[in-house]
Amino acid sequence: MALAAPPPAGMTDPTQRRFRGAARISEYEVMKEKLGEGTFGVVSKGVSKRSGKVFALKKILMHNEKDGFPITALREVKLLKMLSHPNILRLEEMAVERQSADDKGKNGKKRATLYMVSPYADHDLSGMLTNPDIRFQESQIKCYMQQLLEGLRYLHDSHILHRDMKAANILISNTGVLQIADFGLARHYEGPTPQPGKGNGEAVRDYTSLVVTRWYRPPELLLTLKKYTPAIDMWGVGCVFGEMFERKPILEGRTDVDQCVRIFKLVGSPNESNMPGWSSLPGCEGHKEWEQRKGDIDQRFGQHLKPEGLDLLKSLLCLDYKKRVNAIDALQHPYFKTAPLPARPEDLPRYQDSHELDARRRGQEKKMNLPPAPAGGTVGMGPDEWNPQGGPYGGNGYHNGPNYPRDRGPPRRYDDRRGPPPPDSSRQPHWRQDRDNRARMPPAANGHGLPPPPADLPRRPDMRNGPPPPPGSRGPPAGGPNVDTYIPSYAGGRGSREGSYRDPDAVPPPPSRGYRDDPYRERERERGPLPGYDRARRTRSRSPEQEDMRRARLQNRERDFYGR
Amino acid sequence: MAPITGPSHLVNSLASPAHLETSASQLDGVPKDLEDSIRFETSRLLQATGILLRLPQEIIAQSIVVLSRFWSGADGMSLLECDAVDAAAAALYLTAKPSATPLSPRSLLTVLEYTSTVSPHYSQASTGASEPQWSLSEGSYETARDRLYATEAQLLRTLGFQTHVALPHALCINYLQTLQVFKAPSSDGSALAKRAIKLLNTALLSPQQLFLTHQPPALATAAIYLAVREEGVNLPDVEWWEVFDVDREELGFLVVALTSVEGFAEREREVWGDRKVPLTVGEVRAEIERRTMLEEGE
């Protein structure tokens, strides 16, 4: 019998591919411009050779995988493949780097490199809000809110909980289109979907309450409700809504308990009338008593918002998750029907040009790369037979394979990172964070994924302690290898970058240092003397993909848990 | 059936005619009947392994569908490129991973090692009629685990990451409820439902790849139709299947296909007897060689 060779790789007609969704990376021209780096690898900008369109390529490195293909990526891909909505970030396809024929090898150690291909977005909301040159009109805020709610309505209607609503996960294109991104924590929701006028319904089962970035985490999760509903995402929308006026996260809790305190300070402490059943919840890390407060939301947001807007904000930030408005009803809120009416996306100002020029002009001065909120939850946990002591809700997600010795406590200095705020701004230029970081702190645990307990986990350093040290003083972190162990070191991820790109005045890190430094180093590079608006621009509006990757890095450490 | 427009949990990616026409294995020179035998055998292996691992049938069925997608079409995987038993392990591992019942590589590989030695007499082993010799040393576990991860990646790549599988089982119960078989006093609704579910599980083993060619509603309807006939239940004397968007022609095809699985299974047993169906690349090559030599000898 004649042996026919399998069809050559490049010759399959893409339209004929059966289970369409996997391309070869050779179908993309991967540009040098990197959008970010993370655990899984680099996010690059790429141009499709088929269509000429620009995409973001998120590389998933497959080494050191404890359980094979990362569960978070698997789940994200699965969900994204089922969704189709203008306000949800699309997964175009997966691109595969073909390896040589014998890539299976004897021991199968070598694995393919994978890329998640999604449309390239110009901004994320968090980046835009920290950019002092971008000012939102109210009609613009309304437009974004409408799109955000539209996307969420679709998600919830499709039985999906996003579980990581935050400004950094909201992408905005230059055509004014808003898209919800990052489905690494998302999961299928089994309860009835929200119906008009009926809030967010009742949950029919337990899920892990260790989800959502802390600053956007709703009170019922902080008080450890497990039977939660799509209302958890609506709380996040409320936080984002407020953030669009205050231009920074409105509830920046340092710990979970602190988060509760801040929430109750804003909207009042819980009682049986504003949050029925709250006292029967397990509470936040054992705390069940809260100081009686009335809430200062009217005073705090009254200056920004007219009565309709304030009413919408309050119905989103409603303590009682059973009464919290659902996306369908929020879209019908009078806020969107009173002047100024929501702008049309196509009428919104475009920022790209000003963006680039501005970045060049500002050059080294200010980098607004605010690392995002700290702790989120672990990736949910399922029955985990590798980890019996973890139990069904698997402890705090802080144990893992030998690569991940991250169950050590945070450095002692952890608490003093919150010094007095500088007089001029509550935000620090990124470079300042960077240096302080190196000197004093474990790296920003940006993204999220830091599990809430223990309360004093390292989180994003909030460098408010004055000017940066001179460059020469920068060096390996004072904590030495201790802090490094906090982030797993991923082999192969950094080697080639070392040296050639590094800031010349940076002290080389000890060889044992983890991968975690790279995002910082990456930004140093961006500050470097080389001209190039692209790189500079990146630092202005933080790339959502970069954001993704950071998040992914954290999740990566928790991937032996399964979401519930 | 009406064209499917939106994304849904209830529909599957189907194989196109071009992909059913040939497969990478056949292009590599694996005879069609041998390929069918291997597919059949791996499906049985997965079913037996899944039961021993106490996995829900949902996961087992999905893994069988995933595996059959893997082998399908010219750009699928060839039996001469990837060990069938590895692919089966990866399919089960991958399907279980995001589910409520994830598997550890160790339990999967250990049980698979056991079922492979028992093969093809799975039911005998369950009754204790045969005492299989098996073991999985630490070294071979580690090798197998690495291979599992590699095959998993290969599987994902080949499937285009389309791991979603909609099953007709729940739909089938739903349809039976719609037909009010559980309410009618005379009919035994639960016996009917059991029969229909058995038929659906049988359909997983069909060499015609029914789960790759028909959407769940059609499969569920056909299973009900056949179960009704086999159980002798009376249903309204109208073309009730049209309510479920299945036309007579599709129904007829599926019913014939479902009834033919038994004959296929019988033939497989006759052909292979106590011999093991080749489940690795090496064994497949040896089998092809054996057949060539037999032909030349004649």
Side-chain angles (χ1 to χ4, degrees):
Chain A
M1 181 179 291
L3 286 184
M11 284 186 56
T12 29
D13 176 0
T15 58
Q16 290 294 307
R17 245 181 289 148
R18 184 166 139 237
F19 299 108
R20 204 186 127 82
R24 300 186 197 297
I25 194 60
S26 57
E27 290 173 28
Y28 291 87
E29 185 173 341
V30 184
M31 323 248 287
K32 276 200 181 136
E33 183 186 349
K34 283 180 186 166
L35 305 181
E37 284 187 32
T39 314
F40 288 146
V42 183
V43 186
S44 314
K45 201 168 167 178
V47 178
S48 165
K49 291 179 188 163
R50 267 181 283 162
S51 65
K53 282 192 194 156
V54 183
F55 291 100
L57 304 174
K58 176 161 133 183
K59 192 179 201 172
I60 302 173
L61 288 174
M62 293 291 293
H63 50 67
N64 280 344
E65 285 304 332
K66 186 164 156 275
D67 304 315
F69 191 79
I71 169 86
T72 48
L74 188 64
R75 197 189 286 145
E76 186 169 1
V77 169
K78 222 176 157 176
L79 284 177
L80 285 175
K81 274 188 172 278
M82 260 188 277
L83 298 174
S84 163
H85 189 274
N87 298 122
I88 306 291
L89 184 69
R90 213 169 53 243
L91 173 68
E92 291 290 330
E93 59 185 358
M94 303 291 290
V96 180
E97 190 150 21
R98 196 67 165 174
Q99 296 190 329
S100 53
D102 59 345
D103 65 351
K104 275 197 293 181
K106 273 257 158 65
N107 57 6
K109 275 255 154 72
K110 239 172 139 191
R111 279 165 225 151
T113 314
L114 303 161
Y115 296 83
M116 289 174 74
V117 183
S118 44
Y120 173 75
D122 307 272
H123 319 280
D124 68 77
L125 188 57
S126 167
M128 286 174 97
L129 289 174
T130 49
N131 182 342
D133 297 333
I134 296 181
R135 289 281 159 192
F136 286 169
Q137 303 295 316
E138 188 159 13
S139 60
Q140 188 175 4
I141 293 182
K142 287 188 183 185
C143 171
Y144 290 150
M145 279 299 288
Q146 260 186 336
Q147 296 186 61
L148 177 58
L149 288 165
E150 218 12 91
L152 215 51
R153 185 198 58 72
Y154 172 79
L155 276 188
H156 290 167
D157 197 49
S158 312
H159 288 271
I160 287 169
L161 299 176
H162 185 276
R163 306 203 297 183
D164 199 14
M165 267 297 133
K166 58 175 167 180
N169 283 343
I170 296 170
L171 309 185
I172 292 173
S173 78
N174 267 330
T175 50
V177 175
L178 175 148
Q179 292 191 312
I180 301 172
D182 195 340
F183 286 75
L185 280 180
R187 67 152 293 141
H188 183 73
Y189 176 69
E190 285 171 30
T193 56
Q195 300 300 316
K198 295 190 179 155
N200 288 283
E202 292 275 342
V204 296
R205 58 161 284 179
D206 284 3
Y207 307 97
T208 173
S209 53
L210 302 178
V211 287
V212 189
T213 305
R214 183 194 294 134
W215 294 348
Y216 300 85
R217 204 180 300 158
E220 67 267 27
L221 286 186
L222 289 160
L223 298 177
T224 333
L225 175 79
K226 292 204 190 297
K227 270 199 165 74
Y228 52 79
T229 66
I232 61 162
D233 290 338
M234 300 311 296
W235 178 274
V237 173
C239 295
V240 169
F241 186 33
E243 187 170 343
M244 283 200 267
F245 292 98
E246 292 198 343
R247 306 180 60 81
K248 68 188 193 63
I250 60 169
L251 296 163
E252 296 178 281
R254 279 169 291 180
T255 64
D256 286 0
V257 174
D258 185 46
Q259 186 69 29
C260 289
V261 170
R262 282 164 193 257
I263 289 176
F264 301 148
K265 180 168 179 291
L266 181 67
V267 298
S269 46
N271 54 47
E272 281 308 315
S273 68
N274 67 11
M275 195 175 178
W278 77 279
S279 52
S280 51
L281 290 174
C284 179
E285 294 171 11
H287 281 256
K288 296 195 73 169
E289 302 294 320
W290 307 97
E291 192 189 336
Q292 285 302 315
R293 286 176 188 270
K294 279 211 48 163
D296 61 358
I297 189 166
D298 291 332
Q299 295 87 320
R300 188 166 163 191
F301 286 95
Q303 46 167 337
H304 299 299
L305 278 162
K306 296 197 194 78
E308 295 86 15
L310 196 58
D311 184 68
L312 176 61
L313 183 66
K314 280 172 162 175
S315 51
L316 288 165
L317 296 180
C318 173
L319 269 189
D320 183 0
Y321 60 92
K322 288 177 184 145
K323 291 215 185 90
R324 198 173 300 146
V325 69
N326 65 30
I328 307 165
D329 295 334
L331 280 166
Q332 300 304 321
H333 196 276
Y335 179 64
F336 297 112
K337 292 168 184 162
T338 48
L341 290 174
R344 291 185 306 168
E346 57 270 33
D347 295 341
L348 291 179
R350 302 184 178 209
Y351 295 108
Q352 193 166 30
D353 284 346
S354 75
H355 210 97
E356 292 172 356
L357 286 172
D358 206 46
R360 253 185 289 178
R361 194 175 60 236
R362 296 197 306 168
Q364 276 75 28
E365 306 300 307
K366 273 194 164 186
K367 300 293 176 189
M368 299 308 288
N369 260 352
L370 178 79
T378 61
V379 180
M381 291 146 260
D384 182 356
E385 51 181 318
W386 299 271
N387 166 38
Q389 72 275 25
Y393 287 105
N396 61 7
Y398 259 61
H399 47 272
N400 211 326
N403 288 329
Y404 308 62
R406 60 198 156 69
D407 51 350
R408 66 173 60 238
R412 286 283 164 260
R413 281 173 245 80
Y414 172 72
D415 272 327
D416 54 11
R417 70 176 182 281
R418 278 240 159 190
D424 53 343
S425 153
S426 62
R427 298 288 186 182
Q428 286 297 306
H430 186 264
W431 51 271
R432 199 180 288 175
Q433 295 170 359
D434 186 11
R435 304 203 170 178
D436 275 3
N437 227 0
R438 289 170 160 265
R440 324 169 50 233
M441 284 291 302
N446 34 25
H448 61 77
L450 281 186
D456 56 346
L457 283 180
R459 57 169 204 98
R460 179 178 83 75
D462 194 5
M463 294 312 164
R464 301 184 171 187
N465 293 342
S473 75
R474 203 192 314 132
N482 272 1
V483 288
D484 287 327
T485 55
Y486 181 66
I487 303 276
S489 69
Y490 283 84
R494 60 200 291 251
S496 61
R497 273 180 265 123
E498 293 239 6
S500 56
Y501 281 117
R502 295 206 23 183
D503 201 338
D505 54 17
V507 176
S512 68
R513 288 179 66 118
Y515 187 72
R516 62 163 176 96
D517 280 320
D518 284 346
Y520 296 88
R521 196 167 300 141
E522 184 68 8
R523 277 177 230 128
E524 282 167 32
R525 206 191 311 161
E526 287 163 0
R527 287 201 301 283
L530 290 171
Y533 64 83
D534 271 339
R535 286 174 295 128
R537 182 166 70 80
R538 263 296 121 193
T539 65
R540 289 280 311 286
S541 181
R542 184 174 60 243
S543 148
E545 288 76 18
Q546 189 179 345
E547 188 53 48
D548 268 4
M549 304 281 21
R550 288 205 205 103
R551 178 197 54 73
R553 162 148 49 93
L554 288 156
Q555 285 186 0
N556 191 31
R557 293 184 259 139
E558 287 142 11
R559 91 163 44 90
D560 54 341
F561 295 107
Y562 293 92
R564 322 204 104 195
Chain B
M1 275 184 71
I4 290 147
T5 47
S8 167
H9 295 286
L10 296 179
V11 293
N12 278 326
S13 316
L14 293 184
S16 68
H19 288 105
L20 295 170
E21 200 174 87
T22 186
S23 69
S25 307
Q26 287 169 47
L27 290 172
D28 274 359
V30 180
K32 172 90 170 70
D33 66 306
L34 179 59
E35 189 189 10
D36 284 348
S37 296
I38 296 172
R39 284 175 169 226
F40 179 70
E41 185 59 26
T42 44
S43 302
R44 290 181 66 217
L45 181 73
L46 276 179
Q47 184 69 60
T49 309
I51 290 172
L52 287 176
L53 285 163
R54 299 200 165 84
L55 289 174
Q57 179 64 18
E58 181 194 7
I59 304 297
I60 302 173
Q62 284 176 338
S63 70
I64 293 176
V65 177
V66 162
L67 184 63
S68 48
R69 287 180 186 172
F70 184 55
W71 300 124
S72 295
D75 43 7
M77 188 50 67
S78 161
L79 289 163
L80 290 183
E81 283 178 80
C82 178
D83 287 355
V85 64
D86 285 349
L92 197 56
Y93 181 64
L94 182 66
T95 315
K97 188 184 271 188
S99 78
T101 48
L103 282 173
S104 73
R106 187 180 291 277
S107 52
L108 169 66
L109 294 168
T110 309
V111 173
L112 200 67
E113 176 73 16
Y114 171 78
T115 33
S116 305
T117 53
V118 174
S119 159
H121 304 294
Y122 303 112
S123 50
Q124 277 184 31
S126 68
T127 56
S130 68
E131 192 64 31
Q133 298 294 313
W134 65 282
S135 72
L136 186 63
S137 71
E138 192 60 26
S140 48
Y141 161 67
E142 273 167 22
T143 322
R145 189 195 53 200
D146 287 343
R147 241 180 17 239
L148 176 70
Y149 294 162
T151 318
E152 181 194 32
Q154 229 167 10
L155 188 68
L156 280 167
R157 186 171 57 194
T158 310
L159 298 185
F161 291 78
Q162 187 50 273
T163 55
H164 175 75
V165 179
L167 291 176
H169 296 62
L171 211 52
C172 178
I173 301 295
N174 209 296
Y175 286 1
L176 286 170
Q177 284 169 333
T178 310
L179 293 166
Q180 301 204 316
V181 299
F182 299 109
K183 281 195 183 149
S186 56
S187 72
D188 187 354
S190 79
L192 186 64
K194 272 184 192 153
R195 169 69 68 177
I197 296 290
K198 279 180 185 167
L199 284 164
L200 287 176
N201 287 333
T202 307
L204 286 167
L205 305 176
S206 162
Q208 286 169 292
Q209 316 290 335
L210 299 178
F211 279 72
L212 297 191
T213 56
H214 291 80
Q215 291 292 356
L219 292 166
T221 310
I224 292 172
Y225 182 89
L226 205 54
V228 164
R229 273 208 332 211
E230 290 178 359
E231 293 284 318
V233 178
N234 288 323
L235 277 191
D237 193 19
V238 289
E239 301 198 333
W240 54 265
W241 46 88
E242 297 209 329
V243 176
F244 305 124
D245 284 336
V246 183
D247 58 34
R248 177 179 282 281
E249 197 183 336
E250 189 176 17
L251 180 67
F253 174 85
L254 281 173
V255 167
V256 171
L258 282 174
T259 38
S260 69
V261 180
E262 188 179 353
F264 173 76
E266 283 296 337
R267 261 196 321 283
E268 284 299 302
R269 185 151 63 189
E270 280 166 29
V271 170
W272 293 97
D274 278 349
R275 280 200 304 142
K276 278 192 198 299
V277 178
L279 289 183
T280 64
V281 172
E283 288 167 8
V284 174
R285 280 193 202 285
E287 174 68 18
I288 296 174
E289 198 152 303
R290 193 185 69 90
R291 292 186 181 196
T292 319
M293 280 165 68
L294 279 177
E295 266 172 37
E296 280 167 0
E298 276 165 11

